[in-house]
Amino acid sequence: MELIQKNIHMDRIKCSASTQATIEDDINITDAKPDVYQLVMEQGTVDIEEVRAVEDHVHIKGTLKFQVLYLSDEEVHHPACMEGSLPFEEQVFMDGVSANDSVTVRPALEDLSVGMINSRKLSVQALIDLKLSVEVMQDMQAATGIESDETVEMQKKPLQVLNLCIAKKDIFRVREEVTLPGGLPNIFTLLWQSCQLKDVSWRIMDEKMSLQGEISLFVLYEGEGEERPVMWHEAAIPVSGIVECQGMREGMLEDIRCSIGHKEMEVKPDEDGEERKISLELVLDLDMKLYEEEQVEMISDLYGVTKEIESVRQMEQCKQLLVKNTGKMKASGRFKVAPGLPKMHQICGSFGEIQMGGVENCPEGIKIEGTVLVRAVYTTADADTPFYCLKGSIPFSYVLEASGVESDCIYEIEPSLDQIGVTMLDGDEADAKIVLSFKGLVCRVHEEPVVADVRVSDLDPEKLAALPGIVAYIVKDGDSLWNIGKKYYVPIARMKEMNELGGEEVKPGDKLLVVKGF
């Protein structure tokens, strides 16, 4: 006698931890760069270079890469850019991790602050949030039938499961060119650039998936000409393409994290040989999971007719989809130029960064809170400070609808900043509007008793002899054909035939003829 089993793949978090790394250091302006007169703004990214696990600890090495836009201490205070990097190391306690585990580290730059010590030295302070997890794959064996020469009665029940079909990392390369509009001068040198990925969506097909999104590009550059005018340009670049993926099928549920990895940008001549093209090459890092929701008819109980059959059960962790949802929200805020700082003349570009706060269950679903840090670079009428940056923050609170969320639920929430716009109201005040989107995959995890094995033995002769050969049975509350047949070792089909029943429904007071026999 052998169980027929269906193999179900599931992912689970073995252990997790989080910490914050603080970086404080002074950096010198490189010899090729002019002295600093005034800082304008900064931006940074975090690269994780090494992750090494030992018993209950994880060692992390990484680098903070940053750019600083400043005004040079020259006769004309032109913008200049300083780039640098600072390494960091962290030892993180992580209960349950072992040396053989593969640890995923997701960094987020929570805060970056650059101060001026003197015209050739800057101070850099950063706070990096590190979230660590070890994800393992496990197989659940669900018994769906039995191969046997003996007569076996089986009772089944449906079990909804989320089957992990694909878990892999991949990349998607983006190569685009942007040509400056006719009213702008040729590029002499790029001073500053910002590149953000927005509004990414996926369509799952057989053996592949399509990607749709947008790259928001901003460049500040020094133009050609005697006066070397400082100019800027913004562009929204549509991105689309196909990622091949063996085993992918239409209808699968995707949980995909997409981020900008490697980035290269350079100026190229156009067809007339003029420096008017910006060539952009990006590598998008994809962390992909593809699921299928399945209903498995698994054995919930069984008994033998000619043999004594005992089921051996064990508890298995089961993952079920509760909801996969996407939501959008709008938010706004007004920011004023601080007293003593130069007034706004024209806004050049606006940028935003999401800082996630609390994520928790609520009666309506998943409550998400956080802040969007908003920056807007603007020109001024002040010759000493021709460029400056307006900074502010917009708090947000959003409920991603997901009915039935309980304490045993787990969820992945992926936020993105789809739109940001900053508009001048006057020289002292600006209005900022943002659009946020949230993608959520909410699952319920619980333990399910499953039949893992069966033990077969001969029927007890004394027990069998004590059972009557024929019984006029009156159905009581809680009875079913199943438990009556199990009690008397009678096949369900035989009882239905003997009593001319069209189905298996019986009610209290019904009279059944139960005849022992195989």
Side-chain angles (χ1 to χ4, degrees), residues 77-88:
H77 299 312
H78 272 277
C81 180
M82 168 70 185
E83 297 181 351
S85 62
L86 293 172
F88 66 90

Side-chain angles (χ1 to χ4, degrees), residues 468-508:
I470 185 168
V471 177
Y473 189 90
I474 300 176
V475 177
K476 302 183 291 293
D477 283 340
D479 276 345
S480 65
L481 282 186
W482 175 265
N483 57 31
I484 296 170
K486 188 174 183 179
K487 179 179 179 180
Y488 292 101
Y489 296 87
V490 177
I492 301 294
R494 182 177 179 83
M495 285 197 294
K496 290 170 63 177
E497 180 183 354
M498 291 290 298
N499 293 278
E500 298 181 348
L501 298 176
E504 295 188 10
E505 294 294 326
V506 291
K507 59 183 184 295

Side-chain angles (χ1 to χ4, degrees), residues 46 48-49 60 168 173 180 210 224 262 299 360 378 404 411 418 424 442 448 470 474 485 515:
V46 180
I48 301 299
E49 295 160 350
I60 302 170
K168 62 177 290 190
R173 298 185 184 275
L180 295 179
S210 67
E224 291 182 350
H262 183 69
I299 298 174
E360 61 183 10
Y378 64 89
Y411 39 80
D418 289 349
M424 280 180 54
V442 186
E448 181 76 25
I470 185 168
I474 300 176
V515 179

Side-chain angles (χ1 to χ4, degrees), residues 415-454:
S416 65
L417 181 60
D418 289 349
Q419 295 179 31
I420 180 169
V422 180
T423 307
M424 280 180 54
L425 300 177
D426 53 38
D428 290 313
E429 190 175 17
D431 181 58
K433 289 183 169 61
I434 59 173
V435 176
L436 294 168
S437 67
F438 304 93
K439 296 178 182 178
L441 183 70
V442 186
C443 300
R444 179 185 291 116
V445 179
H446 73 282
E447 289 196 331
E448 181 76 25
V450 300
V451 176
D453 199 2
V454 290

